[in-house]
Structure formats: C-alpha cells, structure tokens
C-alpha cells in the first residue's frame, strides 16, 4: 500500500499536479532520499516508454486503417478473400497453407544452409578426412563369408546389411555408447557389435555435429547390462606428449594402436579436439583413446589425408557436455564410470579387460 | 504548391497521426516501393511490411521539431525502404545482396539504427503488456494510452468508485514495471 501511495505521489509530481507546498516538500524529500530520487527517475523513464508505446501503437493502428482503405480500392494487394474468380479465390484460400509450406521449405533450406556452413567451417580443411568406413561390395562379401564361418554358434538373428562402419564404446553399463556423429549420420538402422560377435540394435539418443559426437543406446532385449566398466572418462585436458593406445574397428576385427598427443587443438585450431600421432584408418572413427591409467581422453574422429599420422580426436570432456544436454530428460540419467581398474596393469591385460566394451558401430 | 511545401505539409500531418496525410503518402509512394520489393525477391506482403516499417521511421522523425527533410520525401522513403529490405534479405541470407536500384538514394543508416532501438523498446513493452493479463492490460491501456480519467474508467470496468480503480491501476502498473525491467535484466 505504501508503494502505491509513493507511486501516486511520483506520478502527481511528474504530471505537475502538486501544489507549491507539496512540491517543495517532495523535492526536499527527493534530495534527502536517494531511493526516492531513483524511483522518480526510473518512473519517468518508464512512463516515457509507455507513452511512446501508446503513440506508436495508435499510429500503427492508423496505418492499418489506411491500408485496408486502399486495399478495398484495389490500390494495394489485399490478403482478404474476395472471391472474384475461382482461381483467385482458390489462391486466396490456399495462400496461407502455401505460405506455411513455403516458410517450412525456407526454414529447411536455411537449416541446411546452416548445417553446410557449420560443416564447411569444421571441415573447411580439404584434407580433413572422416574415418567412417563405407563398405564396398567386395568387402561386404568378405564380411558375409567371414561371419558365416566365425559366428555359427550365436542364436540366429538376421545379420544386418552393412553399409557403414565405425567404432564406439560403452560409457554406461546400461547400454549407452559414444561414437562420432558422422559415423551414424548416414545410417538409417544402427547396429553395434562387440568383440564376442554379439549384435544389438541401437538408436541415437543425441548427436552434436559441432563436436562430432553422438550418444547411442542399445535397444535390444538380448543385451545384458554391465555393472562395472573398467575404464573412466577424463574430465580435464591431456598434456602434450601423453601416450595412449586406441581400440577400434578399421576391419571386422578389433585393432590396437599406439601413439601420443601431438597438439592441444585439432584441425583449423579447433579447441574441442586434439591432434594425435597414431595410425588410424576408416572405421576407427568413434573409437576410444585411452591413456596409460585407463582413462579415456578422446574419441578418434578424423585424419589428415595429406599428412602422415596426423589424426584428430574429440576431447573426452565433450562427452560430459553432451550428457548435460540430455540430463533434463529423466530417462537419461547416465552414470559414467568414475574409477579405472586398469591402472598399473600391463598393456596386454588392460586391453583384455576393456576390449569387450568397445563396439563396432555398423548400419545401413 | 512546390514539392517541398507539399512534403512538409504531409510530414506535419503524419506527426499528428492524421489519416488523410498518411493516406496521401501511401498513394504517392506505395506502388514504387512495392515494385522495388517485388523486383528484388520479395512478395506483396513483404512490401506491405517494409512500407509500414518505413512509415514508422518517418513518423518518429516527423515528430522531432529538429527534423528537416533534405531531399524529396519520395527519395527519403525509398532510401529507407531499400535499406530495410536489404537488411531483411541479409537476415534471411538467402539471396545475394545485389539489389536493383530504381531511384537515387540518400544515407539513412542513422535513421535505421534509431528505428531499431525504438522498435526494440516497443516490442519489450508489448511483451510486458501481453504478460500482465486482464483486466490489468485494459485498465492500463485506458488510463495511460487512451488517457481516460479515473471516473470514466471506474464506470467502464465496474469499480464502485474512482479510488478503488486507481488503487487497482497502480497495482497493475507495479506489475507491468517489474515485467518490463525484468526483460532488461534477462537480455
């Protein structure tokens, strides 16, 4: 109530409705009380804004009146339905939906444009070469042949047609994997296969094209949740020269690699990734980069097609950014492994312990 | 009557929100602007929008006592519309900004900048107004925009007396103010 009385006083003061005595008392008060002074200034500003808003609003109203006048004279194109000719009335009738359709089309084209721009920005470097493997026909035949020999014991499940191949790894035993966004970008159906040869259906939960990462969820009743993942995911940046090993699927067999961090930024100074020196081939995309303690420090994304051994990997902390984005949804409360049980083991043991959690990501 | 005198008369009318003057300005300039927009990847609706916006720019200017038109009204309006349309094309970034010229132009960058500020303020106030809900909105509209007196408003809205209406009006105003300034904090 006091506020309101005060406001009333301010308005009367501003409108010049106070008598001399009141005015001098009020001005005295203003001088002594900084808060009141501020209120007067603020309210003046606000009332001016309100006044401007009012006049502009009524001006716009006049404009609309004039326009509708002129439109009825035929001087301006009018959006109103007149029904003079059938074609015209049909046009008028569907103009709205056409406009909607056109704006959707426009939006999509803008979106595509935007995507193209991000891509060209990210992969502006011509020699930036994503390591997703596109299976050629001959290769495919080899795979089919092989799997017939290798996997006869597994409960019969139609083998998916494989057009693209990459790598991925579990980040939550419930069946969540991380891979590259570009690995799955062309896949309509996604399957993951572990080193035991078990296939599971998977769906993309979240993709981020900027950092080129995606989170997959295994959507298969046959999948048994894993309680303890032996490795952890590193939240901080790795240092130059840090040694690591990689696991991935450049072929149908898991392949081990070794290397070191050679730069703290990726292609074109991209600070969300590292430059590594390691050998990597198509199919390695999405595979984990693990340091000697058994912490995942990155995810292989691409290599320089012109330079030797120059490979790029997304930094592992990006995974946490992705997880934060899906966190608001209750079903996506992921628990990433916090402790590594690989520390101190020799390399062969480390690989043995973790290889079954690295998956081949395939699809068509 | 010379063109200059004619234009000045129109501007005076415009500043007073005079329907006749506004209509004259539309009649004399609209078709030119429309063909400009249509020739440069725009639609009839775009032309309408742009012309409306240019009229607002002109209105803001005309209200200033310091404003002196340094060229023909036609040229001035065309320059503003051209600038506004270029800007919109750029925002859509869909088309090249190579725009055909139908007329000579004058520099209007300052005007456009000012207008953007005015427009922004307008939008902020409109937002706040739309958020406070009824009957606050109508109440404030009646008092501050339509400048009706409290007694009239009390009768119209069904308050038992002007004092009650006044109290309610101040309550509404406090809310509007809060909403309005909150937007600044968020921005």
């Amino acid at each position: 109530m006091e506020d309101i009385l005060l406001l009333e006083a301010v308005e009367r003061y501003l409108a010049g409705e106070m008598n001399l005595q009141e005015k001098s008392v009020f001005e005295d008060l203003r001088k002594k009380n900084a808060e009141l002074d501020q209120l007067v200034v603020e309210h003046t500003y606000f009332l001016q804004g309100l006044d401007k808003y009012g006049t502009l609003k009524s001006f716009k109203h006049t404009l609309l009146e004039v326009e509708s006048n002129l439109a009825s004279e035929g001087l301006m194109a009018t959006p109103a339905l007149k029904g003079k000719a059938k074609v015209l009335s049909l046009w008028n009738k569907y103009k709205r939906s056409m406009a909607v359709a056109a704006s959707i089309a426009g939006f999509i084209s803008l979106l595509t444009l935007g995507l193209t721009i991000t891509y060209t920005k990210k992969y502006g470097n011509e020699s930036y070469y994503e390591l997703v493997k596109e299976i050629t026909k001959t290769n495919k035949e080899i795979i089919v042949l092989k799997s017939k020999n290798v996997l006869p014991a597994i409960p019969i499940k139609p083998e998916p047609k494989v057009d693209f191949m990459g790598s991925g790894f579990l980040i939550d035993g419930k069946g969540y994997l991380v891979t590259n966004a570009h690995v799955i970008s062309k896949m309509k159906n996604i399957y993951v296969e572990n080193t035991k040869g078990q296939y599971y259906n998977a769906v993309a939960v979240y993709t981020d094209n900027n950092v080129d990462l995606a989170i997959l969820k295994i959507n298969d009743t046959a999948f048994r949740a894993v309680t303890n993942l032996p490795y952890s995911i590193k939240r901080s940046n790795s240092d130059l020269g840090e040694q690591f090993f990689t696991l991935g699927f450049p072929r149908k067999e898991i392949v081990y690699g070794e290397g070191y961090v050679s730069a703290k930024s990726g292609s074109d100074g991209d600070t969300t990734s590292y430059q590594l020196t390691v050998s990597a081939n198509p199919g390695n995309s999405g595979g984990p980069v693990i340091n000697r303690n058994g912490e995942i420090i990155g995810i292989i994304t691409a290599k320089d097609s012109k330079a030797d051994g120059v490979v790029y990997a997304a930094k592992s902390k990006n995974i946490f950014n992705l997880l934060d984005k899906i966190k608001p949804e209750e079903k996506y409360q992921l628990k990433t492994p916090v402790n590594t049980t690989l520390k101190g083991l020799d390399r062969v043991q480390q690989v043995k312990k973790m290889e079954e959690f690295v998956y081949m990501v395939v699809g068509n | 009557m010379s063109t200059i005198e004619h234009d000045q008369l129109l501007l005076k009318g415009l500043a007073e929100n005079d329907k006749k003057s506004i209509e004259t300005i539309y009649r004399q300039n609209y078709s030119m602007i429309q063909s400009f927009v249509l020739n440069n990847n725009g639609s009839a609706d775009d032309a309408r929008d742009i012309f409306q916006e240019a009229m607002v720019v002109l209105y803001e200017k005309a209200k200033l006592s310091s404003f002196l038109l340094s060229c023909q009204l036609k040229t001035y309006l065309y320059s503003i519309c051209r600038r506004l349309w270029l800007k919109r094309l750029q925002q859509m970034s869909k088309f090249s900004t190579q725009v055909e010229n139908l007329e000579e132009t004058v520099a209007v960058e300052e005007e456009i900048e000012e207008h953007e500020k005015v427009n922004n303020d307008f939008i902020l106030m409109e937002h706040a107004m739309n958020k406070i809900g009824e009957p606050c909105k109508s109440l404030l509209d009646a008092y501050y925009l339509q400048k009706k007196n409290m007694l009239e408003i009390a009768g119209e809205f069904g308050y038992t007396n002007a004092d009650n209406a006044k109290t309610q009006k101040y309550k509404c105003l406090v809310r509007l103010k809060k909403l309005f300034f909150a937007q600044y904090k968020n921005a």
Side-chain angles (χ1 to χ4, degrees):
Chain A
M1 200 58 203
E2 213 172 275
D3 281 352
I4 288 171
L5 284 177
L6 200 61
L7 215 55
E8 190 185 349
V10 172
E11 273 191 17
R12 281 181 57 218
Y13 170 73
L14 290 175
E17 283 167 6
M18 284 185 169
N19 62 38
L20 275 175
Q21 202 192 346
E22 262 183 309
K23 203 175 158 189
S24 72
V25 170
F26 188 83
E27 273 172 354
D28 245 18
L29 219 58
R30 238 188 110 174
K31 268 177 210 147
K32 280 184 212 142
N33 188 335
E35 231 172 287
L36 177 67
D37 204 30
Q38 163 68 17
L39 183 71
V40 174
V41 172
E42 182 195 273
H43 204 66
T44 316
Y45 175 78
F46 181 71
L47 285 183
Q48 274 171 2
L50 199 59
D51 203 47
K52 269 190 199 157
Y53 167 75
T55 42
L56 202 53
K57 203 175 137 190
S58 68
F59 177 69
K60 283 187 175 178
H61 186 72
T62 320
L63 284 185
L64 288 181
E65 270 178 18
V66 170
E67 276 186 9
S68 75
N69 257 351
L70 293 174
S72 64
E73 275 180 42
L75 270 164
M76 278 176 74
T78 161
L81 185 77
K82 284 274 169 62
K84 273 180 196 154
K86 197 164 185 193
V87 178
L88 199 70
S89 78
L90 278 177
W91 160 244
N92 281 326
K93 201 168 166 188
Y94 292 114
K95 199 147 85 172
R96 230 189 140 81
S97 22
M98 278 174 73
V100 171
S103 58
I104 290 171
F107 173 69
I108 287 171
S109 69
L110 278 180
L111 194 75
T112 334
L113 185 76
L115 280 178
T116 324
I117 288 168
T118 13
Y119 266 104
T120 30
K121 195 178 161 228
K122 173 120 191 168
Y123 308 128
N125 188 344
E126 263 179 24
S127 51
Y128 190 91
Y129 180 57
E130 293 168 344
L131 296 174
V132 62
K133 189 171 186 177
E134 211 168 329
I135 313 289
T136 56
K137 210 179 170 189
T138 39
N139 253 345
K140 224 184 281 176
E141 275 160 19
I142 294 170
I143 286 168
V144 171
L145 259 177
K146 233 183 167 181
S147 49
K148 262 182 197 155
N149 298 335
V150 179
L151 315 162
I154 288 170
I156 292 148
K157 211 176 187 185
E159 256 219 53
K161 184 171 153 280
V162 174
D163 288 334
F164 305 99
M165 202 166 126
S167 308
F169 56 95
L170 283 179
I171 52 162
D172 182 331
K174 291 197 294 284
Y176 291 92
L177 295 105
V178 163
T179 184
N180 281 147
H182 76 256
V183 166
I184 57 159
S185 65
K186 285 183 195 149
M187 295 183 183
K188 281 187 222 88
N189 302 300
I190 305 170
Y191 301 93
V192 294
E193 188 192 348
N194 60 17
T195 46
K196 294 174 186 162
Q198 292 160 324
Y199 268 115
Y200 304 112
N201 277 318
V203 288
V205 165
Y206 190 79
T207 50
D208 186 342
N209 288 318
N210 278 328
V211 292
D212 196 0
L213 287 179
I215 294 175
L216 304 178
K217 161 113 176 67
I218 295 179
N219 239 356
D220 207 322
T221 44
F223 178 76
R224 297 271 165 272
V226 186
T227 43
N228 281 320
L229 293 172
Y231 45 80
S232 65
I233 300 165
K234 198 170 177 184
R235 280 179 188 268
S236 53
N237 283 343
S238 279
D239 293 318
L240 229 54
E242 183 165 6
Q243 298 199 346
F244 62 78
F245 66 97
T246 63
L247 289 168
F249 290 89
R251 44 187 289 224
K252 254 218 129 187
E253 189 82 48
I254 194 162
V255 171
Y256 172 84
E258 250 184 55
Y260 50 83
V261 177
S262 41
K264 284 184 182 170
S265 67
S267 173
D268 285 334
D270 176 7
T271 53
T272 63
S273 56
Y274 299 115
Q275 183 193 318
L276 313 175
T277 300
V278 66
S279 104
N281 292 301
N284 265 117
S285 259
V289 179
I290 311 113
N291 69 9
R292 52 193 277 263
N293 293 330
E295 296 169 288
I296 289 174
I297 60 168
I299 303 96
I300 301 248
T301 50
K303 73 169 176 182
D304 196 318
S305 62
K306 286 187 186 134
D308 230 351
V310 174
V311 171
Y312 302 111
K315 292 179 180 174
S316 54
K317 63 176 174 189
N318 293 320
I319 296 176
F320 296 104
N321 296 340
L322 255 66
L323 292 180
D324 283 345
K325 276 177 199 154
I326 60 168
K327 215 169 199 167
E329 273 200 69
E330 227 178 81
K331 54 178 175 174
Y332 295 139
Q333 302 299 326
L334 270 65
K335 264 197 204 132
T336 49
V338 274
N339 288 316
T340 154
T341 52
L342 300 174
K343 207 170 176 176
L345 295 180
D346 75 35
R347 190 52 53 84
V348 177
Q349 292 302 318
Q350 285 182 331
V351 173
K352 241 180 209 163
K353 281 203 162 201
M354 73 172 291
E355 63 170 338
E356 63 175 300
F357 306 115
V358 179
Y359 280 72
M360 189 194 310
V361 180
V362 295
N364 53 52
Chain B
M1 206 191 304
S2 76
T3 330
I4 298 170
E5 281 168 344
H6 176 82
D7 284 352
Q8 253 152 12
L9 219 63
L10 282 180
L11 282 179
K12 207 173 150 238
L14 179 70
E16 286 158 5
N17 200 355
D18 169 48
K19 222 168 140 179
K20 261 239 153 62
S21 307
I22 294 173
E23 202 174 310
T24 313
I25 298 175
Y26 260 89
R27 278 181 198 282
Q28 287 172 353
N29 300 285
Y30 188 76
S31 60
M32 171 183 68
I33 301 303
Q34 182 170 265
S35 51
F36 164 74
V37 173
L38 288 178
N39 279 334
N40 289 289
N41 294 314
S43 67
D45 280 349
D46 288 331
R48 232 179 138 98
D49 271 8
I50 291 292
F51 199 83
Q52 241 185 55
E53 230 183 309
M55 284 300 278
V56 174
V57 176
L58 198 61
Y59 172 67
E60 290 290 326
K61 277 277 159 197
K63 275 198 306 182
L64 301 174
S65 51
S66 58
F67 179 61
L68 240 164
L69 198 60
S70 56
C71 59
Q72 272 192 46
L73 182 58
K74 187 174 136 194
T75 312
Y76 191 68
L77 253 179
Y78 173 74
S79 306
I80 293 170
C81 287
R82 185 174 176 277
R83 195 77 220 122
L84 287 172
W85 183 236
L86 272 176
K87 208 151 199 168
R88 185 148 328 165
L89 283 178
Q90 250 164 28
Q91 276 163 359
M92 295 194 291
S93 70
K94 235 163 110 180
F95 308 105
S96 77
T97 42
Q98 280 292 328
V99 162
E100 249 176 79
N101 246 340
L102 297 179
E103 267 280 316
E104 54 172 328
T105 56
V106 291
V108 287
E109 272 68 21
E110 249 170 70
E111 278 89 339
I112 303 292
E113 221 164 273
E114 253 167 65
H115 167 65
E116 266 167 13
K117 223 181 121 254
V118 169
N119 208 20
N120 205 20
D121 287 348
F122 183 82
I123 290 168
L124 284 180
M125 191 61 86
E126 196 165 44
H127 261 245
M129 266 290 194
N130 287 337
K131 265 195 205 156
I132 51 168
E134 295 296 353
C136 268
K137 195 178 159 187
S138 305
L139 198 59
L140 292 178
D141 199 281
Y143 184 80
Y144 287 100
L145 307 186
Q146 296 169 41
K147 319 267 183 210
K148 288 183 182 165
N149 68 43
M150 253 11 247
L151 209 63
E152 234 179 301
I153 293 173
E156 211 174 285
F157 285 78
Y159 289 101
T160 40
N161 57 52
D163 272 346
N164 279 351
K166 206 174 189 171
T167 312
Q168 192 52 45
K169 181 209 81 180
Y170 278 117
K171 277 186 186 163
C172 291
L173 190 70
V174 170
R175 273 178 59 197
L176 181 70
K177 243 171 113 168
K178 250 191 202 147
L179 284 168
F180 179 75
F181 285 111
Q183 298 180 94
Y184 274 100
K185 274 171 209 153
N186 293 338

